[in-house]
């Protein structure tokens, strides 16, 4: 059964699951409102209330976030509504929130640092890299094996 968590103060099992190395998915909304789901690496920073994804600035996910920062279906001021999820057998966890694209070198470097820490590898340099920062509004899942 899914359990709701405070994304800023998750229970230890939920947070522990997000500290493990897992491939994740990012769901964004296309301009027509249909979901676009892609595999990504995600880092979770409950202290800052953020999840981060590194991406190429020309990717579809980035264009969806940029387009979704306006008004309309699935969007609101402050970012595009998105979800990131990871699954391992019967364990799963989803973080939801409002995403924005960051191009500032220090924000991108922080996202890369956290990615390297979680995934135990430093991504190749990419001058077109940006960071998608998700201000978290909801956390759900079942991080316990059963």
């Amino acid at each position: 059964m899914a359990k709701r968590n405070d994304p800023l103060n998750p229970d230890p099992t939920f947070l522990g699951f997000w500290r493990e190395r897992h491939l994740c998915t990012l769901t964004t909304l296309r301009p027509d409102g249909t979901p676009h789901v892609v595999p990504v690496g995600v880092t979770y920073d409950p202290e800052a209330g953020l999840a981060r994804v590194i991406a190429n600035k020309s990717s579809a996910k980035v264009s969806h976030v940029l387009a979704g920062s306006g008004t309309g279906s699935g969007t609101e001021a402050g970012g595009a509504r998105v979800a990131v999820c990871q699954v391992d057998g019967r364990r799963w966890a989803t973080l939801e929130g409002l995403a924005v694209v960051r191009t500032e070198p220090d924000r991108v470097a922080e996202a890369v640092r956290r990615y390297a820490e979680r995934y135990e590898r430093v991504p190749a340099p990419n001058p077109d890299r940006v960071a998608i920062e998700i201000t978290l509004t909801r956390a759900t899942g079942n991080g316990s094996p059963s």
Side-chain angles (χ1 to χ4, degrees):
M1 170 172 266
K3 179 181 176 190
R4 197 154 186 183
N5 262 280
D6 176 351
L8 306 181
N9 188 26
D11 73 47
T13 302
F14 188 84
L15 182 57
F17 185 42
W18 276 102
R19 297 290 188 243
E20 296 173 11
R21 186 174 187 251
H22 294 287
L23 184 63
C24 302
T25 61
L26 168 68
T27 302
T28 58
L29 296 177
R30 295 181 184 100
D32 68 1
T34 59
H36 176 255
V37 183
V38 294
V40 293
V42 175
T43 61
Y44 177 27
D45 180 2
E47 294 82 15
L50 296 173
R52 295 177 179 89
V53 175
I54 57 175
N56 191 296
K57 69 181 179 184
S58 64
S59 67
K61 61 186 156 283
V62 168
S63 66
H64 296 157
V65 169
L66 291 171
S69 296
T71 60
S73 175
T75 66
E76 46 190 273
R81 194 156 284 290
V82 302
V84 291
C85 183
Q86 68 180 23
V87 63
D88 179 37
R90 297 177 75 167
R91 297 185 307 155
W92 63 275
T94 300
L95 299 169
E96 299 176 34
L98 297 173
V100 295
V101 175
R102 297 291 191 178
T103 59
E104 304 92 334
D106 62 324
R107 302 298 275 261
V108 175
E110 179 64 6
V112 168
R113 183 190 72 75
R114 288 175 178 275
Y115 176 95
E117 182 179 284
R118 181 174 190 202
Y119 292 97
E120 300 174 345
R121 72 173 197 83
V122 177
N126 178 355
D128 292 329
R129 181 173 288 128
V130 296
I132 297 173
E133 285 186 355
I134 305 161
T135 300
L136 300 172
T137 58
R138 181 178 299 181
T140 57
N142 176 11
S144 301
S146 53

